[in-house]
Amino acid sequence: MGSQGGWGQSKDFLDLVKSIGETRSKAEEDRIVMNEIEILKRRITEPDIPKRKMKEYIIRLVYVEMLGHDASFGYIHAVKMTHDDSLLLKRTGYLAVTLFLNDDHDLIILIVNTIQKDLKSDNYLVVCTALTAVCKLINEETIPAVLPQVVELLGHPKESVRKKAIMALHRFYQRAPSSVAHLLSNFRKKLSDNDPGVMGATLCPLFDLIIADANSYKDLVISFVSILKQVAERRLPKSYDYHQMPAPFIQIRLLKILALLGNGDKQASEHMFTVLGDIFRRCDPSSNIGNAVLYECICCVSSIHSSPKLLESAAEVTSRFLKQSDSHNLKYMGIDALGRLIKISPEIAEDHQLAVIDCLEDPDDTLKRKTFELLYKMTKPSNVEVIADRMIDYMISINDNHYKTEIASRCVELAEQFAPSNQWFIQTMNKVFEHAGDLVNVKVAHNLMRLIAEGFGGDDEGADSQLRSSAVESYLRIIGEPKLPSLLLQVICWVLGEYGTADGKFSASYITGKLCDVAEAHPSDDIVKAYAVTAIMKICAFEIATGRKVELLPECQSLIDELSASHSTDLQQRAYELQTVLGLDALAVETIMPSDASCEDIEVDKSLSFLNGYVQESLVKGARPYIPESERSGMADISNFRSRGHHDSSTHGLKFEAYELPKPSVASRIQPVPLATSKELVPVSQPTYPQEMSQAASMPSVPETGPSELKLQLDGVQKKWGRPTYSPTVPSNSNSSSQKAVNGVAQLVVQGTVGPKTRDVSYDSRKPQVEVSPEKQKLAASLFGGSSSKTGKRPTSTSYKTTRVHSHAAEKSQIPTATVASTEHAAEKAPQPPPPDLLDLGEPTPGYTVIDPFKQLEGLLPSDASSVANSGVSASKSSDIMSLHAESPMSGLIGTVANMGPTNLDSANLLSSLSNLANRNVHGGPAAMQVAPVKKGPNPQDSLEKDAVARQVGVTPSGTNPNLFRDLLG
Amino acid sequence: MIRAVIVMNTQGKPRLAKFYDFQPAEKQQELIRSVFGVLSSRAENVSDFVEADSIFGPDTRLVYKHFATLYFVFVFDSSENELAMLDLIQVFVETLDKCFKNVCELDVVFNFNKMHTILDEIIFGGQVLETSSTEVIKAVEEITKLERASNTISLVPKSVSGWQAR
């Protein structure tokens, strides 16, 4: 087929497209399009337009609308075109209609009839076209009109029709689950359709159904597993292959379903182990789609009750994703997969620290965000400082308000959960408020106030007051800064009001002065002013209560005067209250404004029982008794009714079915019909509907207003007769209880974070070190190095060891355990790749990524000295290793080895010595020292020498390029 | 579920826009503009994924692929797999390429109704329907054949390609 042939556009249209393509500005484009619209408006209403012309006009309308201009004047013509007998015109009509109309557009009612007819057509292409339209145009109300035909099509001889019929049913389910509730068994049935394509299509609705309710589909686990097995084993026809993968999209869908079904279900999960392992093995990791399936496998493994073997495969694939230096897509998937896996085994993250940090510093924003998400998931008390700092830095750097808000709230969450100290917490919160300002949710500010009021430690009053005074101090420091966001100012005012004078460090007049400044600096912000005035009132009240005389500053007095004349009644009231409080005596003030009582529960007598006497008195005097709002008929407003109606529509005292009789389809919409009856409903609606349709064709506006009016009437009826039980006390009741619950939660969280002393460790490791990439090392250590037992698994990371050695004696005791763990680690990995000597080289040694092994080899070959110079950077590192070993019993041995002179330096030997070095680094103990050369080196004496040479020149194995070494060996 | 398929050129002009849940025309323009804003600010050699919840609402992401002067953008939610979507774009483009013999932007501009036909064979109501480009082409050709048979619309001469060659 030629590129433009057969698609019949006229010269006019081509000219239009061309001229729009050549425009330089949006204004010019708009002018051309407006012109075109004028032409179309004129032409399309001309009588006796040939159909061919009409089709083109419709296409031009679609084009115009795609460019963002209104083409509604032509919709009716598109609708008319769907009635045409010619397939081409019909298809064009349907295409235009599906693009133009929304599913409750007035014109839809005109199309339903056509769709019904077309669904019954002999020509399967017409049926397919109609099904496409069904997906887009049929809404809840019109589903019953086409449902019988669509269900019938499930048995159509053409598989493409069956496929689309299933998809259409799926769409109905998405639109209105109740409308097809009785047909759900069809999806199960179609799973065993002869055509794999139909089966694949069935997986989409099943996926949605299983999301809604996994338990009723547990019996399908075995079928799904066996289908997946067959697909993976290439039992499907070749035509389902995509890039040499057998039906990858079906595999992905199945894996998603299995992930849902196996979640938290050990028995179901066990069925899946074999097939998952199979897919891990079979997938082609070089193609994009292969990786897609692998990624889905990881998701599945992380969701189901996992087996250690599968987890291992998953971790392996993840690390391969992360190591793809050229593909950001795979890195992204890798980070995502890592985020899923660490939920099950957190130690996996530590193998990839540098990859993660690389992603964090990547220019790609998407990758960065994904990495922040990962960091957010793996935050612990030990690394919260680094992560929060990073997040805030990133938050400052971006402009995207949506993401800024998100990351700010995450920061706050982490800070609240893991804060290592009060100081840090308050500083972090200040930073977040300062930079994300008004994007932060108001709740966050309220949380912060509550946290300061309630304190961190629960019992420890001292810590609490320390928290408060450090908050006061830090707020007084920043209060003068310009452009503070309103929310932060509110917090500041509140805290200064409550606790400004609590520790006696600052005088009342100093604080009130500051508060007056705040109010003056933000003349347009009523909320801040209100906070400030109330804060001033509190401070004065506390002063009066302690018996001191309050001298109002002149600026404070002028503020009060100003606010008493304010337009805002709230501000006025506050100002007058303040003035009144100033005139009261100490005892009264003490009762009104008790000091530090923000956390006390305020008891509210909701029944207003204290008024009973007064009410009685009035009644005796002849007053009319109070009629509750709910009993005053006709007064309940619609919103009240609606909100209640959602909750318990079934408890209505009155039934409304009688009003709905004229239109059965509406009845089915308004009241979810029980399963059994709805089956009958479908055929019932059939005879009535076509009738209405034909009416509709003649006078379009009547039937479409019909149902909506009916609906309106119903509303009126319900409003009038609905059971009047709305009681205003309910919301306030739940409100107070929920608040208490929130308080409880906050306290729980706080208790969980009492003493995160371990962070000292990570601080130590952040000391400057001369490394290949010291910053990354630092970051890695601070991010991942929190829990000491886990980091022990990374023995080759010198940064870690040196910090261990340098840190205090208590830490030293951890070294033996660390080395033990490392030997296990090495042994575990040993049997995998074939050449055993290279094994340890392949071991990732994050510290030395930048060293190019080739360059070092070149440097080594000619002479010793030059190579030392060549790899000068690593000299300090080797000394680090030496100093490390000097701590251990084998130091003497090392010394002698190091003294041996260099001999012949062919590359193979060098390699073996390298591997030995790596060995030693890994094993670290004297016992391993004896074993390693014998087992691994060709000649123990020789390899010891090479090892020494290697040590002298500071060559250390690099994990980044293991293949390089393999190539060299041949 | 796939929410939308957008094809636009590198100047941000839409060439094809299909939204699987209805969006009014103005909203469509706004969405297309914001997508273009995001895409045009992305460097080369970065990942093809963008989190799109600031544009399309929560739990949405988009995958895009840049071919010559065109961006192909698929917007979808978490029930789809990013890498698989990338391959679906590949299927779409491969199919276009086979249909138009070395597809270029002009083919897309002039034949956007055919683009819709092809897309309808690949994605149906927001779900992936068919992923084999040969199958898609077979279906599209069958439609074309029947359409030809069912009417006698005169064909536009190939002269268009003269302009295209400029």
Short mmCIF file of all heavy atoms in Angstrom, two decimals, chain A residues 1 7 9 17-18 29 59 66 91 124-125 163 170-171 242 253 256 288 292 296 328-329 364 366, chain B residues 1 13 20 29 42 45 47-49 79-81 87 109 113-114 117 127 130 142 146-147 156 163:
data_model
loop_
_atom_site.label_atom_id
_atom_site.label_comp_id
_atom_site.label_asym_id
_atom_site.label_seq_id
_atom_site.Cartn_x
_atom_site.Cartn_y
_atom_site.Cartn_z
N MET A 1 0.84 -1.20 0.00
CA MET A 1 0.00 0.00 0.00
C MET A 1 0.88 1.25 0.00
O MET A 1 1.82 1.36 0.76
CB MET A 1 -0.85 -0.01 1.27
CG MET A 1 -2.07 0.81 1.17
SD MET A 1 -2.91 0.73 2.74
CE MET A 1 -2.82 -1.01 3.08
N TRP A 7 -6.47 6.84 0.69
CA TRP A 7 -7.06 7.46 1.85
C TRP A 7 -7.77 8.76 1.52
O TRP A 7 -8.12 9.53 2.40
CB TRP A 7 -6.03 7.63 2.94
CG TRP A 7 -5.61 6.30 3.40
CD1 TRP A 7 -4.59 5.56 2.91
CD2 TRP A 7 -6.27 5.48 4.36
NE1 TRP A 7 -4.55 4.34 3.51
CE2 TRP A 7 -5.56 4.25 4.42
CE3 TRP A 7 -7.37 5.64 5.19
CZ2 TRP A 7 -5.94 3.22 5.25
CZ3 TRP A 7 -7.72 4.61 6.02
CH2 TRP A 7 -7.01 3.40 6.04
N GLN A 9 -7.86 11.99 0.52
CA GLN A 9 -8.04 13.35 0.99
C GLN A 9 -7.98 14.30 -0.22
O GLN A 9 -7.23 14.06 -1.15
CB GLN A 9 -6.96 13.75 1.99
CG GLN A 9 -7.30 13.41 3.40
CD GLN A 9 -7.02 11.96 3.71
OE1 GLN A 9 -6.41 11.28 2.89
NE2 GLN A 9 -7.48 11.50 4.85
N VAL A 17 -3.48 21.11 5.92
CA VAL A 17 -2.44 20.49 6.73
C VAL A 17 -1.10 21.15 6.45
O VAL A 17 -0.32 21.46 7.36
CB VAL A 17 -2.38 18.98 6.44
CG1 VAL A 17 -1.17 18.37 7.11
CG2 VAL A 17 -3.64 18.29 6.91
N LYS A 18 -0.87 21.38 5.18
CA LYS A 18 0.41 21.96 4.78
C LYS A 18 0.56 23.36 5.35
O LYS A 18 1.60 23.70 5.94
CB LYS A 18 0.46 21.99 3.26
CG LYS A 18 1.81 22.32 2.70
CD LYS A 18 1.75 22.26 1.18
CE LYS A 18 2.58 23.38 0.59
NZ LYS A 18 2.30 23.59 -0.82
N GLU A 29 -1.57 30.03 13.26
CA GLU A 29 -2.25 28.74 13.16
C GLU A 29 -3.73 28.90 13.51
O GLU A 29 -4.60 28.42 12.79
CB GLU A 29 -1.59 27.76 14.12
CG GLU A 29 -2.16 26.37 14.05
CD GLU A 29 -1.68 25.49 15.18
OE1 GLU A 29 -0.46 25.37 15.34
OE2 GLU A 29 -2.53 24.92 15.90
N ILE A 59 -13.45 14.35 8.51
CA ILE A 59 -12.04 14.17 8.86
C ILE A 59 -11.41 15.52 9.16
O ILE A 59 -10.60 15.66 10.10
CB ILE A 59 -11.30 13.51 7.68
CG1 ILE A 59 -11.92 12.15 7.41
CG2 ILE A 59 -9.81 13.45 7.94
CD1 ILE A 59 -11.04 10.99 7.60
N MET A 66 -8.60 18.29 16.97
CA MET A 66 -7.34 17.84 17.57
C MET A 66 -6.42 19.03 17.82
O MET A 66 -5.61 19.03 18.75
CB MET A 66 -6.65 16.83 16.65
CG MET A 66 -5.42 16.21 17.27
SD MET A 66 -4.76 14.88 16.27
CE MET A 66 -3.96 15.78 14.98
N ARG A 91 -17.21 3.65 9.30
CA ARG A 91 -16.02 3.67 10.16
C ARG A 91 -15.58 5.09 10.44
O ARG A 91 -15.20 5.43 11.56
CB ARG A 91 -14.89 2.88 9.51
CG ARG A 91 -15.03 1.38 9.64
CD ARG A 91 -13.85 0.67 9.02
NE ARG A 91 -12.59 1.21 9.53
CZ ARG A 91 -12.05 0.81 10.66
NH1 ARG A 91 -12.61 -0.13 11.36
NH2 ARG A 91 -10.93 1.34 11.07
N TYR A 124 -18.17 -9.05 9.98
CA TYR A 124 -17.52 -8.99 11.28
C TYR A 124 -16.76 -7.68 11.47
O TYR A 124 -16.54 -7.23 12.59
CB TYR A 124 -16.61 -10.20 11.51
CG TYR A 124 -15.24 -10.08 10.90
CD1 TYR A 124 -14.16 -9.65 11.65
CD2 TYR A 124 -15.02 -10.42 9.57
CE1 TYR A 124 -12.91 -9.55 11.10
CE2 TYR A 124 -13.77 -10.31 9.02
CZ TYR A 124 -12.71 -9.86 9.77
OH TYR A 124 -11.49 -9.76 9.23
N LEU A 125 -16.36 -7.05 10.37
CA LEU A 125 -15.65 -5.78 10.52
C LEU A 125 -16.59 -4.69 11.05
O LEU A 125 -16.19 -3.84 11.85
CB LEU A 125 -15.05 -5.35 9.19
CG LEU A 125 -13.83 -6.16 8.77
CD1 LEU A 125 -13.39 -5.78 7.37
CD2 LEU A 125 -12.69 -5.96 9.76
N LYS A 163 -12.54 -11.54 21.08
CA LYS A 163 -11.58 -10.78 21.85
C LYS A 163 -12.16 -9.41 22.22
O LYS A 163 -12.11 -8.98 23.36
CB LYS A 163 -10.33 -10.58 20.99
CG LYS A 163 -9.07 -10.77 21.73
CD LYS A 163 -7.82 -11.04 20.94
CE LYS A 163 -7.50 -10.40 19.67
NZ LYS A 163 -6.13 -10.65 19.22
N HIS A 170 -15.42 -6.04 29.68
CA HIS A 170 -14.49 -5.53 30.69
C HIS A 170 -14.74 -4.05 30.92
O HIS A 170 -14.77 -3.55 32.04
CB HIS A 170 -13.06 -5.77 30.21
CG HIS A 170 -12.02 -5.30 31.16
ND1 HIS A 170 -10.73 -5.04 30.79
CD2 HIS A 170 -12.07 -5.03 32.49
CE1 HIS A 170 -10.04 -4.63 31.83
NE2 HIS A 170 -10.82 -4.61 32.87
N ARG A 171 -14.94 -3.34 29.82
CA ARG A 171 -15.20 -1.91 29.90
C ARG A 171 -16.49 -1.66 30.68
O ARG A 171 -16.56 -0.76 31.51
CB ARG A 171 -15.32 -1.36 28.48
CG ARG A 171 -15.28 0.13 28.39
CD ARG A 171 -13.91 0.67 28.68
NE ARG A 171 -13.88 2.12 28.48
CZ ARG A 171 -12.94 2.90 28.95
NH1 ARG A 171 -11.96 2.38 29.66
NH2 ARG A 171 -12.97 4.18 28.72
N TYR A 242 7.16 -12.39 20.15
CA TYR A 242 7.53 -11.01 19.90
C TYR A 242 9.00 -10.86 20.24
O TYR A 242 9.41 -11.14 21.37
CB TYR A 242 6.68 -10.07 20.77
CG TYR A 242 7.11 -8.63 20.68
CD1 TYR A 242 6.71 -7.84 19.60
CD2 TYR A 242 7.92 -8.06 21.64
CE1 TYR A 242 7.11 -6.54 19.49
CE2 TYR A 242 8.32 -6.75 21.54
CZ TYR A 242 7.92 -5.99 20.47
OH TYR A 242 8.33 -4.69 20.36
N ARG A 253 1.02 -10.18 31.96
CA ARG A 253 -0.32 -10.12 32.55
C ARG A 253 -0.48 -11.26 33.58
O ARG A 253 -0.97 -11.05 34.68
CB ARG A 253 -1.29 -10.25 31.40
CG ARG A 253 -2.70 -9.79 31.45
CD ARG A 253 -3.08 -8.50 32.02
NE ARG A 253 -2.79 -7.33 31.23
CZ ARG A 253 -2.82 -6.09 31.74
NH1 ARG A 253 -3.10 -5.91 33.01
NH2 ARG A 253 -2.57 -5.07 31.00
N LYS A 256 1.44 -10.63 36.71
CA LYS A 256 0.76 -9.64 37.56
C LYS A 256 -0.37 -10.32 38.34
O LYS A 256 -0.56 -10.05 39.53
CB LYS A 256 0.18 -8.52 36.69
CG LYS A 256 1.20 -7.46 36.32
CD LYS A 256 0.54 -6.26 35.70
CE LYS A 256 1.53 -5.22 35.22
NZ LYS A 256 2.25 -4.55 36.30
N ASN A 288 14.65 -5.76 25.26
CA ASN A 288 13.85 -4.92 26.14
C ASN A 288 12.67 -5.70 26.72
O ASN A 288 12.38 -5.65 27.92
CB ASN A 288 13.36 -3.72 25.34
CG ASN A 288 12.61 -2.73 26.18
OD1 ASN A 288 13.11 -2.31 27.21
ND2 ASN A 288 11.41 -2.41 25.78
N ALA A 292 11.45 -6.73 30.45
CA ALA A 292 10.11 -6.40 30.98
C ALA A 292 9.54 -7.60 31.72
O ALA A 292 9.00 -7.47 32.82
CB ALA A 292 9.19 -5.97 29.85
N GLU A 296 8.81 -8.07 35.74
CA GLU A 296 7.52 -8.50 36.26
C GLU A 296 7.70 -9.70 37.19
O GLU A 296 7.00 -9.84 38.18
CB GLU A 296 6.62 -8.85 35.08
CG GLU A 296 5.18 -8.54 35.30
CD GLU A 296 4.91 -7.12 35.78
OE1 GLU A 296 5.22 -6.20 35.02
OE2 GLU A 296 4.41 -6.96 36.89
N HIS A 328 19.32 3.92 30.98
CA HIS A 328 18.62 4.53 32.11
C HIS A 328 17.32 3.80 32.41
O HIS A 328 16.89 3.75 33.54
CB HIS A 328 18.33 6.00 31.82
CG HIS A 328 19.51 6.87 32.02
ND1 HIS A 328 20.49 7.01 31.09
CD2 HIS A 328 19.88 7.64 33.06
CE1 HIS A 328 21.40 7.82 31.55
NE2 HIS A 328 21.07 8.22 32.75
N ASN A 329 16.73 3.27 31.35
CA ASN A 329 15.48 2.56 31.56
C ASN A 329 15.67 1.39 32.51
O ASN A 329 14.90 1.19 33.43
CB ASN A 329 14.94 2.03 30.24
CG ASN A 329 14.43 3.14 29.37
OD1 ASN A 329 14.27 4.25 29.84
ND2 ASN A 329 14.19 2.83 28.12
N ASP A 364 19.16 12.50 34.99
CA ASP A 364 17.78 12.12 34.64
C ASP A 364 16.85 12.29 35.85
O ASP A 364 17.02 11.66 36.88
CB ASP A 364 17.78 10.66 34.18
CG ASP A 364 16.40 10.24 33.72
OD1 ASP A 364 15.45 11.01 33.91
OD2 ASP A 364 16.28 9.13 33.17
N THR A 366 13.65 11.58 36.26
CA THR A 366 12.80 10.44 36.59
C THR A 366 13.54 9.45 37.48
O THR A 366 13.02 8.96 38.47
CB THR A 366 12.37 9.71 35.31
OG1 THR A 366 11.96 10.66 34.37
CG2 THR A 366 11.27 8.73 35.58
N MET B 1 -4.26 0.08 32.97
CA MET B 1 -5.00 0.57 31.83
C MET B 1 -4.22 1.70 31.15
O MET B 1 -3.59 2.50 31.82
CB MET B 1 -6.36 1.09 32.32
CG MET B 1 -7.21 1.64 31.21
SD MET B 1 -8.67 2.46 31.86
CE MET B 1 -9.16 3.36 30.42
N LYS B 13 3.30 20.13 18.23
CA LYS B 13 2.02 20.05 17.52
C LYS B 13 1.48 18.63 17.61
O LYS B 13 2.19 17.68 17.29
CB LYS B 13 2.23 20.39 16.05
CG LYS B 13 2.43 21.87 15.83
CD LYS B 13 1.82 22.31 14.52
CE LYS B 13 1.93 23.81 14.38
NZ LYS B 13 3.19 24.22 13.73
N TYR B 20 -8.39 7.49 26.37
CA TYR B 20 -9.29 6.36 26.58
C TYR B 20 -10.32 6.62 27.66
O TYR B 20 -11.29 5.90 27.77
CB TYR B 20 -8.49 5.08 26.84
CG TYR B 20 -7.82 4.63 25.57
CD1 TYR B 20 -6.51 4.97 25.28
CD2 TYR B 20 -8.54 3.93 24.62
CE1 TYR B 20 -5.93 4.60 24.09
CE2 TYR B 20 -7.97 3.56 23.43
CZ TYR B 20 -6.66 3.90 23.17
OH TYR B 20 -6.10 3.53 21.97
N GLN B 29 -6.02 19.75 25.08
CA GLN B 29 -4.95 20.67 24.66
C GLN B 29 -4.01 20.93 25.82
O GLN B 29 -2.80 20.93 25.66
CB GLN B 29 -5.56 21.99 24.19
CG GLN B 29 -6.32 21.88 22.90
CD GLN B 29 -5.50 21.23 21.81
OE1 GLN B 29 -4.40 21.69 21.51
NE2 GLN B 29 -5.99 20.15 21.26
N ARG B 42 13.48 17.34 28.72
CA ARG B 42 14.31 16.18 29.07
C ARG B 42 15.50 16.06 28.13
O ARG B 42 15.38 16.25 26.92
CB ARG B 42 13.47 14.91 29.04
CG ARG B 42 12.56 14.81 30.24
CD ARG B 42 11.76 13.57 30.24
NE ARG B 42 12.55 12.36 30.46
CZ ARG B 42 12.99 11.97 31.64
NH1 ARG B 42 12.74 12.68 32.70
NH2 ARG B 42 13.68 10.86 31.75
N ASN B 45 19.54 10.77 26.08
CA ASN B 45 20.17 9.70 26.84
C ASN B 45 19.70 9.61 28.28
O ASN B 45 20.48 9.35 29.18
CB ASN B 45 21.70 9.85 26.87
CG ASN B 45 22.26 9.81 25.48
OD1 ASN B 45 21.75 9.08 24.63
ND2 ASN B 45 23.28 10.60 25.24
N SER B 47 16.22 8.20 30.73
CA SER B 47 15.26 7.12 30.60
C SER B 47 14.02 7.61 29.86
O SER B 47 13.79 8.81 29.73
CB SER B 47 14.86 6.62 31.99
OG SER B 47 14.17 7.63 32.67
N ASP B 48 13.25 6.66 29.35
CA ASP B 48 12.07 7.01 28.56
C ASP B 48 10.82 7.12 29.43
O ASP B 48 9.72 7.17 28.92
CB ASP B 48 11.84 5.94 27.48
CG ASP B 48 12.99 5.88 26.52
OD1 ASP B 48 13.52 6.94 26.19
OD2 ASP B 48 13.38 4.77 26.10
N PHE B 49 10.99 7.10 30.73
CA PHE B 49 9.85 7.10 31.62
C PHE B 49 9.73 8.44 32.34
O PHE B 49 10.74 9.03 32.72
CB PHE B 49 9.97 6.01 32.69
CG PHE B 49 10.39 4.68 32.15
CD1 PHE B 49 11.34 3.93 32.80
CD2 PHE B 49 9.83 4.19 30.98
CE1 PHE B 49 11.73 2.70 32.30
CE2 PHE B 49 10.21 2.97 30.48
CZ PHE B 49 11.17 2.22 31.13
N SER B 79 -1.06 -0.59 36.44
CA SER B 79 -1.37 -1.96 36.06
C SER B 79 -0.63 -2.35 34.78
O SER B 79 -0.81 -3.46 34.29
CB SER B 79 -2.87 -2.13 35.88
OG SER B 79 -3.32 -1.39 34.78
N GLU B 80 0.17 -1.45 34.25
CA GLU B 80 0.98 -1.81 33.08
C GLU B 80 2.45 -1.74 33.46
O GLU B 80 2.83 -1.14 34.46
CB GLU B 80 0.70 -0.84 31.92
CG GLU B 80 -0.75 -0.69 31.55
CD GLU B 80 -1.32 -1.91 30.84
OE1 GLU B 80 -0.54 -2.71 30.32
OE2 GLU B 80 -2.55 -2.06 30.83
N ASN B 81 3.24 -2.34 32.59
CA ASN B 81 4.67 -2.44 32.85
C ASN B 81 5.40 -1.46 31.92
O ASN B 81 5.17 -1.46 30.71
CB ASN B 81 5.04 -3.90 32.59
CG ASN B 81 6.51 -4.18 32.62
OD1 ASN B 81 7.31 -3.42 32.11
ND2 ASN B 81 6.87 -5.29 33.21
N ASP B 87 7.80 -1.30 24.51
CA ASP B 87 7.74 -2.22 23.37
C ASP B 87 6.45 -2.06 22.59
O ASP B 87 6.42 -2.30 21.39
CB ASP B 87 7.89 -3.66 23.85
CG ASP B 87 9.32 -4.12 23.70
OD1 ASP B 87 9.77 -4.22 22.56
OD2 ASP B 87 9.99 -4.34 24.73
N VAL B 109 0.68 12.87 9.48
CA VAL B 109 -0.20 14.03 9.39
C VAL B 109 -1.35 13.76 8.43
O VAL B 109 -2.51 14.00 8.74
CB VAL B 109 0.58 15.26 8.89
CG1 VAL B 109 -0.34 16.46 8.80
CG2 VAL B 109 1.73 15.55 9.80
N ASN B 113 -6.42 9.33 10.19
CA ASN B 113 -7.52 8.38 10.41
C ASN B 113 -7.05 6.94 10.27
O ASN B 113 -7.53 6.05 10.96
CB ASN B 113 -8.71 8.68 9.50
CG ASN B 113 -8.31 8.80 8.05
OD1 ASN B 113 -7.12 8.99 7.77
ND2 ASN B 113 -9.26 8.67 7.15
N LYS B 114 -6.05 6.74 9.43
CA LYS B 114 -5.50 5.39 9.34
C LYS B 114 -4.70 5.05 10.60
O LYS B 114 -4.71 3.92 11.09
CB LYS B 114 -4.60 5.26 8.11
CG LYS B 114 -4.07 3.85 7.97
CD LYS B 114 -3.51 3.57 6.62
CE LYS B 114 -3.16 2.10 6.51
NZ LYS B 114 -2.61 1.78 5.20
N THR B 117 -7.06 3.78 12.95
CA THR B 117 -7.44 2.40 12.65
C THR B 117 -6.39 1.43 13.19
O THR B 117 -6.73 0.42 13.83
CB THR B 117 -7.55 2.20 11.13
OG1 THR B 117 -8.38 3.23 10.61
CG2 THR B 117 -8.12 0.85 10.79
N GLN B 127 -6.95 -1.25 26.86
CA GLN B 127 -6.22 -2.48 27.15
C GLN B 127 -5.47 -2.93 25.89
O GLN B 127 -5.93 -2.69 24.78
CB GLN B 127 -7.17 -3.59 27.57
CG GLN B 127 -8.01 -3.25 28.78
CD GLN B 127 -7.23 -3.25 30.07
OE1 GLN B 127 -6.10 -3.75 30.13
NE2 GLN B 127 -7.79 -2.67 31.11
N GLU B 130 -3.52 -6.41 20.83
CA GLU B 130 -2.72 -7.21 19.90
C GLU B 130 -1.31 -6.64 19.90
O GLU B 130 -1.13 -5.43 19.92
CB GLU B 130 -3.34 -7.10 18.49
CG GLU B 130 -2.61 -7.86 17.42
CD GLU B 130 -2.51 -9.33 17.72
OE1 GLU B 130 -3.54 -10.01 17.70
OE2 GLU B 130 -1.38 -9.81 17.99
N GLU B 142 -7.36 -5.90 5.76
CA GLU B 142 -8.67 -6.46 5.51
C GLU B 142 -9.73 -5.35 5.54
O GLU B 142 -10.62 -5.30 4.68
CB GLU B 142 -8.99 -7.50 6.59
CG GLU B 142 -9.82 -8.62 6.08
CD GLU B 142 -9.66 -9.85 6.95
OE1 GLU B 142 -8.62 -9.98 7.64
OE2 GLU B 142 -10.58 -10.65 6.96
N LEU B 146 -12.10 -4.14 2.34
CA LEU B 146 -13.57 -4.08 2.39
C LEU B 146 -14.08 -2.66 2.18
O LEU B 146 -15.10 -2.44 1.56
CB LEU B 146 -14.04 -4.60 3.75
CG LEU B 146 -14.47 -6.04 3.68
CD1 LEU B 146 -14.47 -6.66 5.04
CD2 LEU B 146 -15.86 -6.12 3.07
N GLU B 147 -13.33 -1.74 2.72
CA GLU B 147 -13.74 -0.34 2.55
C GLU B 147 -13.70 0.02 1.08
O GLU B 147 -14.59 0.67 0.55
CB GLU B 147 -12.81 0.58 3.34
CG GLU B 147 -13.15 0.63 4.80
CD GLU B 147 -12.24 1.57 5.57
OE1 GLU B 147 -11.22 2.00 5.00
OE2 GLU B 147 -12.55 1.85 6.73
N VAL B 156 -6.93 9.83 -4.36
CA VAL B 156 -6.13 11.03 -4.59
C VAL B 156 -4.85 10.60 -5.29
O VAL B 156 -4.23 9.62 -4.90
CB VAL B 156 -5.79 11.70 -3.24
CG1 VAL B 156 -4.74 12.76 -3.44
CG2 VAL B 156 -7.05 12.30 -2.66
N TRP B 163 5.10 16.98 -3.18
CA TRP B 163 5.30 18.00 -2.16
C TRP B 163 6.13 17.47 -1.00
O TRP B 163 6.98 18.15 -0.43
CB TRP B 163 3.94 18.45 -1.66
CG TRP B 163 4.04 19.42 -0.57
CD1 TRP B 163 4.52 20.69 -0.64
CD2 TRP B 163 3.68 19.21 0.78
NE1 TRP B 163 4.48 21.29 0.57
CE2 TRP B 163 3.97 20.41 1.47
CE3 TRP B 163 3.15 18.13 1.50
CZ2 TRP B 163 3.73 20.54 2.83
CZ3 TRP B 163 2.93 18.29 2.84
CH2 TRP B 163 3.22 19.49 3.49
#
